[in-house]
Amino acid sequence: MLEIENLHARVGDTKILNGITLSVKAGEVHAVMGPNGSGKSTLAHLLAGRAGYAVTEGRILYDGKDLLSLTPEARAGEGVFLGFQYPVEIPGVSTLYLLKTAVNAQRKYRGQSEIDALDFLAWIRDRVKKVRMDIEMLHRGVNEGFSGGEKKRNEILQMLVLEPRLMILDETDSGLDIDALRIVADGINALRSPERAILLVTHYQRLLEYVQPDRVHVLARGRIVRSGGPELAHELEAKGYGWLDAA
Amino acid sequence: MSPSYTAAFETVLRESPAVARESRTENLNAFLKAGFPNKRQEDWRYTDLSPLAEQNFALAAPGEIPDLSSRFLPGTDRLVFVNGRFDATASDYPPGAIARRAEFATPVDVFEKDSISHLNAALALDGLALRLAPQTRLDRPLHVLSVTSPGAAPAMSHLTHSINLEPGAEATVIFEDLTHGDGTHLLTQRVWLRAMDHARLNVIRLQEHGSGVQALTRWDASVERNATLDWINLDLGGHLVRNDLVMTLAAPEARVNLSGVYAPGGTTHVDNHTRIEHFWPGGVSRETYRGIVKDRARAVFNGRIVVHPQAFKTDSAQHVANLLLSPEAEVNAKPELQIDNDDVRCTHGATCGQLDEYAIYYLRSRGIPLDTARRALLYSFAREVLANIAFEPARQRMEQALLARLPGTPEVLP
């Protein structure tokens, strides 16, 4: 589903990614771990289409398409979703509006008709319950006055509503208490399916206790320095990232 | 000075009762002596009215009335003025007539006048005159529609409004200014507001003039003991728009909430000069403005707050934020605080920038097209002010009017 080939990228004169190669098949869950500054978030944002990065070498194929040539909204239409590490507060634009507009824009992209408003509301309410948020939050500004944990749950809500095929979750576990972590993990697991792929970008292995990855990759200085099975996450937890300097 | 102003004055004088003639003559003479303000005057640095002196504006004839029914707001009473004249047939208001020929109810003019106020006092024939007895309230908000209907030749019209709330009275008044047609027109308005002790006055104004209209409005307010004035303005249209506000906290414990959005496009020039005067202890003032400036439009904001020596325990906050949507758009924003005692709490801030690219990216990453994402964020930016409009039909009207002017494809937002 996702083929990242020898990806080099920089911001201004600073090289951030130095030749990443990563292959994620439908049905798989991959974790990308690494210390701060290793390039994890850059990779996540490059996949979602944030401006400001220069790709100097390599490419990203998604379902065989050149992902880097697509706008962020086209990528979303193709089924790519990024759960933000720092979700944005938008006072005055309700979460309901955001969801409805996003769903209809994606449907339009895929040549489908607009969704029926009443069916949609019932369906959204069901998902709001799944992330254990107050239904009233749908009518409040997006993330307005939300705590860190509420913002992350709102990301999961959006993911549950949009039903993407490739989910990239950037530090979605950071700043969560144990209850919120379970809700987030349940949301991710609910979408786990043979047609979908998940990329968990994380500093800690905490989330991986709840969402079992098929593969774990360690990112350092913009390169994948090691890949392995779930046991690699435990090893990192025990040893920390210090050993990477020697790697 | 173009002879057209004196010619208009002769016409007005024929329509005026004898008692008003002396005052009108004095005002005309004062106007002719001072002339229109020009850029050499500090308050008019960015807005030069001197070209008006050479233009020939005839006093506007009663204009053709467009069908206004789509503009009516549910749950309101209504006064309609067309080209500066009261239109009784289009109006719908309770007995106790509150529209009038200006001279019948002109309050004692205690406020200082600039030359435009003199011009207005010389030439205005009609306007709203609302006076509420103590402890009474308007059952329904009053919608004051002022329609300008420019003809082939340049014309002008003038309105003088007054709202006087006696102690404990309450009222909501919505001023809506619009234009029917494209021609050149000069409209001056003067509005007196008075909220006596414990009164609550809520003023909402929507300005959607056509691209040929020069609209000069002067607001003078006196807010007294424990009284509250809420004033919200949305400026969308016009060729040249100038709002001069002088809000006086004229007794202890008065409160003024002043806010506005200006969203000019094309080559519109919109200038808001506000002045809040704290004369007495315990006054509270809040001022919030949002500017969205696109195309080659230009906006000026000057927010002056004066805290006089005896106005202890004054609590004042002012904030203005602007978004520039094109390289040719321009904003001049200037807060001016003059604080003459130490026992006050005053804050202010002014910003000018572009839309947050990270927020746009966030929305696009959900599949929302760039165009729609930008509109949603602009709406969000302005809504911080418009959300404070308590009267729902007015709030919706203003939000829709703003949305229709934002760049991109018009569509419904929440």
Side-chain angles (χ1 to χ4, degrees):
Chain A
M1 178 180 271
L2 179 69
E3 300 287 340
I4 302 173
E5 295 171 7
N6 188 32
L7 191 68
H8 289 70
R10 56 174 202 222
V11 175
D13 291 333
T14 312
K15 289 180 176 176
I16 312 272
L17 301 183
N18 298 304
I20 288 190
T21 297
L22 181 63
S23 171
V24 182
K25 293 189 181 66
E28 290 181 346
V29 176
H30 287 230
V32 174
M33 303 183 71
N36 293 330
S38 58
K40 300 190 302 289
S41 278
T42 296
L43 177 63
H45 283 301
L46 262 173
L47 290 169
R50 186 177 184 183
Y53 301 105
V55 172
T56 50
E57 225 183 306
R59 62 177 185 170
I60 303 176
L61 295 178
Y62 170 73
D63 281 347
K65 291 182 186 117
D66 175 14
L67 192 69
L68 293 172
S69 70
L70 300 178
T71 61
E73 55 268 40
R75 297 181 200 199
E78 294 286 344
V80 175
F81 177 90
L82 171 64
F84 278 53
Q85 182 179 9
Y86 303 110
V88 178
E89 288 193 32
I90 311 175
V93 174
S94 72
T95 298
L96 185 62
Y97 168 80
L98 168 70
L99 293 171
K100 198 153 59 175
T101 309
V103 166
N104 281 327
Q106 291 198 14
R107 289 179 68 87
K108 190 174 172 191
Y109 179 87
R110 296 194 278 263
Q112 298 163 324
S113 62
E114 284 206 353
I115 198 157
D116 177 83
L118 283 175
D119 291 350
F120 184 66
L121 195 59
W123 189 62
I124 285 194
R125 281 165 182 267
D126 171 66
R127 273 144 184 82
V128 172
K129 283 185 198 132
K130 280 200 167 70
V131 293
R132 281 181 235 158
M133 295 183 86
D134 184 359
I135 293 288
E136 276 309 299
M137 66 76 73
L138 285 174
H139 302 284
R140 284 168 48 199
V142 175
N143 293 322
E144 190 179 359
F146 281 18
S147 69
E150 286 171 325
K151 286 179 181 171
K152 296 296 174 69
R153 276 192 278 166
N154 197 2
E155 294 295 286
I156 297 301
L157 168 67
Q158 292 172 39
M159 190 175 81
L160 288 171
V161 169
L162 294 169
E163 297 187 320
R165 289 194 302 122
L166 174 63
M167 288 155 269
I168 305 137
L169 294 157
D170 187 11
E171 306 272 0
T172 302
D173 51 338
S174 67
L176 295 184
D177 62 29
I178 193 72
D179 292 332
L181 186 66
R182 280 215 179 92
I183 292 166
V184 163
D186 287 348
I188 298 169
N189 285 326
L191 284 183
R192 207 168 167 169
S193 82
E195 302 83 45
R196 298 196 174 98
I198 300 171
L199 201 59
L200 301 172
V201 176
T202 180
H203 188 85
Y204 305 102
Q205 68 69 255
R206 215 159 68 112
L207 179 64
L208 308 183
E209 297 289 330
Y210 300 93
V211 184
Q212 284 288 319
D214 299 298
R215 298 285 293 165
V216 175
H217 311 277
V218 182
L219 201 60
R221 296 184 299 275
R223 283 184 7 251
I224 290 176
V225 294
R226 238 180 109 182
S227 293
E231 72 285 350
L232 181 54
H234 293 283
E235 192 184 331
L236 284 171
E237 188 73 2
K239 287 172 34 184
Y241 288 111
W243 60 273
L244 288 170
D245 293 331
Chain B
M1 186 74 68
S2 155
S4 64
Y5 297 101
T6 308
F9 170 74
E10 300 297 339
T11 308
V12 167
L13 217 55
R14 281 194 292 276
E15 288 192 40
S16 293
V19 289
R21 287 183 188 158
E22 189 182 337
S23 151
R24 285 192 186 280
T25 306
E26 281 171 11
N27 277 297
L28 181 80
N29 289 337
F31 162 72
L32 292 173
K33 188 167 173 242
F36 281 102
N38 61 55
K39 289 188 163 190
R40 287 190 302 278
Q41 288 156 268
E42 181 59 28
D43 276 348
W44 296 87
R45 251 180 84 190
Y46 298 106
T47 303
D48 187 4
L49 295 188
S50 56
L52 290 175
E54 301 314 317
Q55 278 186 269
N56 293 310
F57 292 109
L59 195 68
E64 203 179 296
I65 313 167
D67 177 16
L68 294 171
S69 52
S70 66
R71 312 295 298 203
F72 295 169
L73 288 170
T76 59
D77 291 315
R78 182 171 61 252
L79 288 182
V80 178
F81 297 91
V82 179
N83 279 354
R85 288 163 197 268
F86 178 53
D87 188 313
T89 51
S91 299
D92 181 9
Y93 60 98
I98 43 183
R100 46 93 165 137
R101 310 300 279 181
E103 49 271 2
F104 296 152
T106 300
V108 178
D109 196 348
V110 295
F111 301 102
E112 60 186 285
K113 278 192 209 166
D114 57 15
S115 66
I116 300 152
S117 299
H118 285 299
L119 176 66
N120 180 278
L123 299 182
L125 283 165
D126 282 355
L128 158 72
L130 174 64
R131 174 180 284 271
L132 287 189
Q135 311 302 331
T136 59
R137 57 179 301 203
L138 273 191
D139 290 335
R140 291 145 61 90
L142 183 62
H143 187 193
V144 180
L145 264 163
S146 166
V147 186
T148 300
S149 176
M156 63 178 165
S157 54
H158 310 271
L159 287 165
T160 300
H161 308 288
S162 68
I163 300 173
N164 199 332
L165 301 192
E166 296 195 9
E170 285 182 35
T172 295
V173 180
I174 303 134
F175 290 93
E176 183 168 356
D177 292 3
L178 54 121
T179 304
H180 178 61
D182 299 321
T184 302
H185 197 100
L186 168 66
L187 170 65
T188 78
Q189 293 188 85
R190 187 132 194 255
V191 191
W192 277 289
L193 306 173
R194 186 175 182 197
M196 295 170 73
D197 298 0
H198 294 275
R200 291 189 62 96
L201 176 57
N202 192 352
V203 173
I204 298 159
R205 192 236 196 168
L206 168 60
Q207 182 275 107
E208 282 203 274
H209 279 305
S211 57
V213 175
Q214 316 204 46
L216 314 174
T217 311
R218 163 85 183 224
W219 302 77
D220 287 285
S222 169
V223 185
E224 298 166 26
R225 187 183 289 266
N226 287 109
T228 301
L229 169 65
D230 287 303
W231 189 95
I232 298 185
N233 181 46
L234 173 59
D235 268 311
L236 292 175
H239 168 65
L240 182 152
V241 177
R242 166 88 176 203
N243 300 308
D244 277 283
L245 280 76
V246 181
M247 304 292 185
T248 303
L249 288 81
E253 315 285 336
R255 184 173 181 113
V256 170
N257 300 314
L258 188 61
S259 59
V261 175
Y262 41 87
T267 55
T268 295
H269 176 107
V270 56
D271 180 344
N272 280 284
H273 263 66
T274 71
R275 195 163 98 213
I276 298 175
E277 301 260 9
H278 284 267
F279 279 103
W280 293 86
V284 178
S285 66
R286 294 285 176 268
E287 182 171 17
T288 310
Y289 270 79
R290 293 284 180 271
I292 299 173
V293 189
K294 62 179 182 176
D295 307 330
R296 287 186 292 141
R298 189 175 192 199
V300 179
F301 174 85
N302 185 290
R304 188 149 187 234
I305 293 174
V306 185
V307 181
H308 291 269
Q310 68 278 29
F312 303 112
K313 308 280 181 202
T314 287
D315 176 358
S316 165
Q318 180 194 67
H319 188 245
V320 52
N322 292 284
L323 290 175
L324 286 172
L325 301 191
S326 89
E328 290 97 352
E330 192 180 324
V331 171
N332 296 286
K334 187 180 172 199
E336 266 186 81
L337 270 68
Q338 182 191 326
I339 300 169
D340 293 329
N341 80 65
D342 294 333
D343 188 11
V344 299
R345 193 171 70 187
C346 291
T347 63
H348 69 100
T351 64
C352 188
Q354 274 92 41
L355 275 178
D356 179 359
E357 289 296 330
Y358 190 68
I360 293 174
Y361 160 59
Y362 182 69
L363 292 174
R364 294 177 81 190
S365 78
R366 276 23 179 172
I368 296 173
L370 175 61
D371 205 44
T372 313
R374 290 171 62 96
R375 283 172 62 81
L377 293 171
L378 290 171
Y379 174 82
S380 158
F381 176 74
R383 204 173 176 277
E384 280 185 60
V385 167
L386 299 183
N388 295 320
I389 300 172
F391 181 52
E392 182 81 10
R395 187 176 57 72
Q396 284 178 6
R397 160 74 50 83
M398 287 164 82
E399 286 180 354
Q400 279 157 17
L402 175 69
L403 281 170
R405 303 256 178 175
L406 293 180
T409 324
E411 61 171 285
V412 181
L413 275 168

